[in-house]
Each structure stands twice: as structure tokens, then as C-alpha cells.
Amino acid sequence: TTIAGRELPAPLVAALAQRTEGNPLFVEQIVLALRDGGQLARVGPSESTPLDDLPLPLTVEAAVQSRLDHLPAQEKDLCKRAAVLGRAFGAPEVDALGFVRADLLLASLARRDLVVRRTRGRSTGGREYQFRSRLVMDVAYRMIADPVRTELHRRTAAFLASTGGTDAEEIARHQDRSR
């Protein structure tokens, strides 16, 4: 109800409980996927609302991928690129991976509950973001084609090496994944 922003019909709640076996993360991701995809708007408040055409993903990973697939192209791409970092990140780091003004897209992703903003980080200005859950980051990472992923790790290693103050082990991890 909190995520949907309104009461959901009892048959939908029952279907969610059955599909997710009560896993709160899975429930959350399905409701967010339905909300982001516009399907919740078609579900009326009555208990007689037909739910047959409502896509209920079979796994939590599928629910997360559905959410990412419904994003505008730039936001989806930003999620995938940020996932390469494998940790909290700042707009400058994402900009180094091919974005201009990543901060605007990150604000939109924060409104969508895919990333959360934190203060006191490594990035300039003390603002950084992290994926709301490790699962979202992992799914976004797996959506990247292998050659693109390799190139993004190469660019990440080069950027981190150029900024100074980055842990040598983190740079080496990206260099290793760029081969």
C-alpha cells in the first residue's frame, strides 16, 4: 500500500503473497515494477478487478529487470554504467563513464527509489549515490553486454588512477575485469 500509494484489491494482494511467498524485497520489487510500468493505474480498487493480464514476474531478479527495462534509455544506461563501479559513486565517476550531467539523471533515479543519495563520500562535494539494494546493482550489471562491460571497466580503472587517492586494489580489480 505504501509503495503503490493506495489500497490494492485483495485479489492482487493475495496473488502477490502467493508469488513472493512473503519475501518483502520481492513484494516491493513487483509493486514497484507494476507502478513504474503503469500497470497499477489499470487496477481498480474493487475486488472484482481482473488480474489475468497483470504481469507478475516469477523471480525477484525478473521484477528488478522489469523496472530497469521500463526506465527512459538514459537512466537505464546510467544504472548499468554505475553498476560497473560496484560501490557507492558520485556524479563525476558516472560522467567519466560517458555521461554529461549525470547528477540530473541520478536525481531522477533517486525519485524512482533505485538509488539513494548519501553525504560524506569520496566524490567531489561530498555527495554520492548508491543503489538502493545490491540486487538492483547486480541485475543492472548483468544487463551489460560483455564487450561493453570490458570497456567500462577499462575506463573506470583509467579514471580512478587519474584522480589519485583511490585504493590501488580497486583500480587493479577494474583493470583485471577489463581483460
Side-chain angles (χ1 to χ4, degrees), residues 26-152:
F26 196 3
V27 171
E28 174 188 58
Q29 292 303 314
I30 286 180
V31 173
L32 286 168
L34 293 173
R35 182 195 73 188
D36 293 351
Q39 290 95 354
L40 280 184
R42 296 192 318 254
V43 175
S46 76
E47 298 208 9
S48 63
T49 301
L51 303 174
D52 295 340
D53 64 338
L54 208 56
L56 295 180
L58 295 175
T59 66
V60 67
E61 290 87 356
V64 171
Q65 183 160 351
S66 175
R67 288 189 67 206
L68 294 171
D69 283 340
H70 283 96
L71 290 173
Q74 280 193 313
E75 290 181 24
K76 180 180 176 180
D77 194 39
L78 188 145
C79 283
K80 293 190 300 188
R81 290 170 186 256
V84 168
L85 292 161
R87 58 163 171 74
F89 52 89
E93 293 166 316
V94 180
D95 283 341
L97 295 176
F99 279 89
V100 176
R101 298 297 319 255
D103 54 333
L104 299 175
L105 295 171
L106 286 165
S108 178
L109 291 170
R111 285 189 300 276
R112 295 177 191 274
D113 291 327
L114 287 164
V115 298
V116 293
R117 185 175 162 192
R118 303 176 353 164
T119 54
R120 290 188 304 147
R122 317 166 196 224
S123 58
T124 306
R127 288 187 208 144
E128 68 180 10
Y129 294 83
Q130 69 182 36
F131 283 96
R132 192 160 182 273
S133 77
R134 177 74 190 200
L135 179 63
V136 172
M137 183 177 70
D138 290 345
V139 171
Y141 186 80
R142 287 193 302 267
M143 292 172 75
I144 306 169
D146 288 339
V148 174
R149 185 182 305 138
T150 298
E151 174 60 16
L152 290 173

Side-chain angles (χ1 to χ4, degrees), residues 12-29:
L12 177 55
V13 173
L16 286 169
Q18 180 180 7
R19 176 61 50 91
T20 65
E21 296 180 351
N23 179 321
L25 178 62
F26 196 3
V27 171
E28 174 188 58
Q29 292 303 314

